[in-house]
Amino acid sequence: MNKHRYAQLLYGKVIYIYETELKKEDLYTVFSPDIYWIDITGQKCEVGYITEFKEGLGVVFTPPKEETQQIIAHENISPMLLSLANAVAEQEQRLVKLESKEQIK
């Protein structure tokens, strides 16, 4: 199967990138259906990038300016949200390890 990259957007900014073999419509099996995702497979896009819709081009991703990156790195994140993000990251690492073991067999 092919790997896909999806960006989670919030207020026009990429806040999370998820790589998986799931199709976009199946992301709700892992995440809340309220989360807005864009398929960024094959595109240069990282956490913190700013999104903008441009007529004739669609959604365009641009890196944040230097001072914006520093603000993003120091934003206050609630402990509960940070804990949840860590749990999701750990789960993703476990899934990647399991997928690797299955491919070796």
Side-chain angles (χ1 to χ4, degrees):
M1 291 187 93
N2 295 332
K3 280 276 191 181
H4 302 280
R5 289 181 79 216
Y6 301 103
Q8 180 184 357
L9 306 181
L10 185 63
Y11 304 118
K13 179 171 55 175
V14 176
I15 61 168
Y16 182 68
I17 293 179
Y18 186 64
E19 294 188 26
T20 182
E21 292 179 353
L22 292 174
K23 294 181 180 180
K24 185 176 173 186
E25 59 269 14
D26 295 329
L27 290 177
Y28 75 90
T29 62
V30 180
F31 297 98
S32 167
D34 297 329
I35 295 175
Y36 183 71
W37 296 98
I38 290 185
D39 189 341
I40 58 168
T41 305
Q43 296 185 49
K44 181 171 173 52
C45 179
E46 302 299 331
V47 171
Y49 273 41
I50 307 301
T51 61
E52 183 181 355
F53 182 81
K54 293 191 178 182
E55 195 168 327
L57 296 175
V59 177
V60 176
F61 300 94
T62 55
K65 295 179 181 167
E66 186 73 28
E67 57 274 3
T68 305
Q69 287 178 323
Q70 292 174 354
I71 292 169
I72 291 169
H74 296 98
E75 284 181 353
N76 291 331
I77 299 174
S78 74
M80 184 165 30
L81 182 59
L82 184 57
S83 174
L84 179 59
N86 285 333
V88 169
E90 289 172 6
Q91 182 66 19
E92 175 66 14
Q93 288 176 343
R94 284 192 289 266
L95 288 172
V96 168
K97 286 180 185 176
L98 287 172
E99 287 174 353
S100 295
K101 287 180 182 177
E102 283 295 316
Q103 288 177 354
I104 292 172
K105 291 182 180 181

